Amino acid sequence: MSRSLRRAAAALLALFALLLTGCGGVTADDAKAYIQGCLDAAYLGQYNQDYLDLSGLTEEESRQEDYEWNTQAEAEILMEYFAIYPSETASAQALDLVKEIYSHSKYEVKGASKLEDGSYAVTVDIQPIDILYRYSLENDISAVWADVLAQHGVTSEEELYAMSDADYEAMEDLYAAAVLDGIHALLPELAYGQEQTVMLQLELEDNVYTLVDTDWQHLDGMIIDYTGQYCDLSADTPQMDAV
């Protein structure tokens, strides 16, 4: 399944609604500071006053609309990708894992330039994180599920179908823990794929600058590489800037 399709099917990201007022004159430095603030807020949970002033948010509002929303959305994507049932327990563990992975995000806002129509183009370099792709290469989730069942005496379809709903849900949580713990165990090996460059556009309309959501989705899909599109682990070659 395509992660980009799942992301596109998700509810509109709160980040896309963040606005820069055009009144009073917005500079290239403002555009750069705004994008830097968006990235820091969404992936690191960090906030600076320039960003808060430009977005018109308080730190608490930014935490809820940027970081908490974005990490929750990513946790849901991660659980769907690895066929994890989103129980309360699994969801909480997945959210903690996403926050830990995001804490290793590497990006650099290179600069902003004003376009003829008055909008701004902001260039960002991304170093994609490889940990989820690395886990997928090293593990078959069907085998993980079968192993969880076998460890609890379930070795046939008949035994599986005979389980109560409560017992089956317990198996689902054990499977979730096995996958998420397995990903967490790879954190010391977390590394990065080849650097990617993304252009984000701040569109000007009615004296308001709005971040183009499709540009952000493109960037967001690079932060963590699920499928190996940006991280080549097929050969035993060192990845960039291993942590």
Side-chain angles (χ1 to χ4, degrees):
M1 291 180 292
S2 167
R3 178 169 181 255
S4 62
L5 290 178
R6 289 198 305 279
R7 172 65 85 185
L12 183 66
L13 287 179
L15 281 170
F16 299 166
L18 294 180
L19 306 177
L20 274 166
T21 177
C23 301
V26 171
T27 68
D29 286 342
D30 290 333
K32 180 180 178 181
Y34 179 72
I35 295 301
Q36 182 73 55
C38 282
L39 292 164
D40 291 346
Y43 299 111
L44 303 178
Q46 297 177 359
Y47 317 91
N48 61 65
Q49 196 58 48
D50 286 343
Y51 170 68
L52 296 176
D53 290 343
L54 289 165
S55 65
L57 297 173
T58 65
E59 183 171 327
E60 180 58 29
E61 288 171 338
S62 182
R63 172 166 288 277
Q64 292 301 318
E65 294 185 22
D66 297 342
Y67 186 63
E68 295 301 336
W69 198 102
N70 196 49
T71 52
Q72 181 62 51
E74 192 66 41
E76 292 171 5
I77 290 169
L78 186 152
M79 287 187 289
E80 182 183 349
Y81 190 84
F82 290 106
I84 293 172
Y85 179 75
S87 68
E88 183 175 348
T89 299
S91 296
Q93 187 177 0
L95 180 60
D96 288 342
L97 177 61
V98 164
K99 289 181 176 180
E100 177 63 28
I101 295 172
Y102 269 166
S103 72
H104 298 282
S105 297
K106 287 191 177 184
Y107 48 80
E108 182 180 1
V109 182
K110 304 295 288 188
S113 57
K114 194 169 188 177
L115 306 180
E116 290 184 1
D117 62 0
S119 61
Y120 279 96
V122 184
T123 303
V124 183
D125 287 345
I126 306 290
Q127 293 186 36
I129 296 171
D130 74 354
I131 188 171
L132 298 188
Y133 179 51
R134 183 180 295 274
Y135 180 82
S136 294
L137 285 180
E138 297 177 4
N139 298 273
D140 179 342
I141 59 173
S142 296
V144 175
W145 170 243
D147 187 54
V148 167
L149 293 176
Q151 288 179 20
H152 294 82
V154 181
T155 58
S156 69
E157 289 189 2
E158 291 78 9
E159 291 172 323
L160 180 64
Y161 293 143
M163 295 174 68
S164 67
D165 288 346
D167 286 343
Y168 188 85
E169 290 170 4
M171 291 298 103
E172 290 273 18
D173 274 344
L174 290 171
Y175 163 75
V179 172
L180 297 172
D181 287 345
I183 296 170
H184 192 274
L186 291 177
L187 282 170
E189 301 175 34
L190 181 150
Y192 303 85
Q194 184 174 356
E195 186 173 82
Q196 305 293 315
T197 298
V198 181
M199 189 76 71
L200 301 180
Q201 186 172 355
L202 291 164
E203 289 186 326
L204 177 61
E205 184 175 356
D206 297 329
N207 285 326
V208 173
Y209 284 92
T210 308
L211 178 58
V212 175
D213 57 357
T214 52
D215 290 352
W216 184 272
Q217 290 185 51
H218 184 51
L219 176 149
D220 186 64
M222 291 180 178
I223 294 291
I224 302 175
D225 184 2
Y226 281 65
T227 64
Q229 184 175 359
Y230 310 108
C231 301
D232 182 9
L233 300 180
S234 59
D236 293 327
T237 54
Q239 298 293 298
M240 295 176 57
D241 301 330
V243 173

